[in-house]
């Protein structure tokens, strides 16, 4: 499983939605369960699963599946 697929899997589990609902173009406004609390749960799940750490600006910029995937790929590659 590549990083993008891993991110989608973590997002689906965190937001308690079907994995098919997690498409690259999806934004936080399109997933009913994606609120401020689950956003922070997502951050924690990504950090603990992938061994990366996000700063405040990065967390604030996580507004779509694609944005999160790009950020994770950058962070994961920099480990």
């Amino acid at each position: 499983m590549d990083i993008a697929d891993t991110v989608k899997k973590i997002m689906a589990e965190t937001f308690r939605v079907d994995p098919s609902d997690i498409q690259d173009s999806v934004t936080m406004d399109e997933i009913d369960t994606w609120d401020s609390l689950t956003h922070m749960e997502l951050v924690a799940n990504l950090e603990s699963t992938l061994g990366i750490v996000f700063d405040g600006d990065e967390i604030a910029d996580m507004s779509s599946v694609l944005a999160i995937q790009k950020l994770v790929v950058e962070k994961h590659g920099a480990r």
Side-chain angles (χ1 to χ4, degrees), residues 30-51:
E30 298 174 73
I31 298 178
D32 292 337
T33 56
W34 191 347
D35 58 21
S36 59
L37 293 176
T38 55
H39 188 79
M40 294 312 297
E41 185 179 342
L42 172 64
V43 170
N45 290 343
L46 290 168
E47 288 180 335
S48 65
T49 301
L50 300 172

Side-chain angles (χ1 to χ4, degrees), residues 12 17 23 28 48 50-51 54 56 62 77:
V17 297
Q23 300 300 315
M28 61 189 321
S48 65
L50 300 172
F54 301 105
M62 294 177 163

Side-chain angles (χ1 to χ4, degrees), residues 17-34:
V17 297
D18 191 274
S20 65
D21 293 339
I22 307 295
Q23 300 300 315
D24 291 348
S25 62
V26 171
T27 66
M28 61 189 321
D29 295 331
E30 298 174 73
I31 298 178
D32 292 337
T33 56
W34 191 347

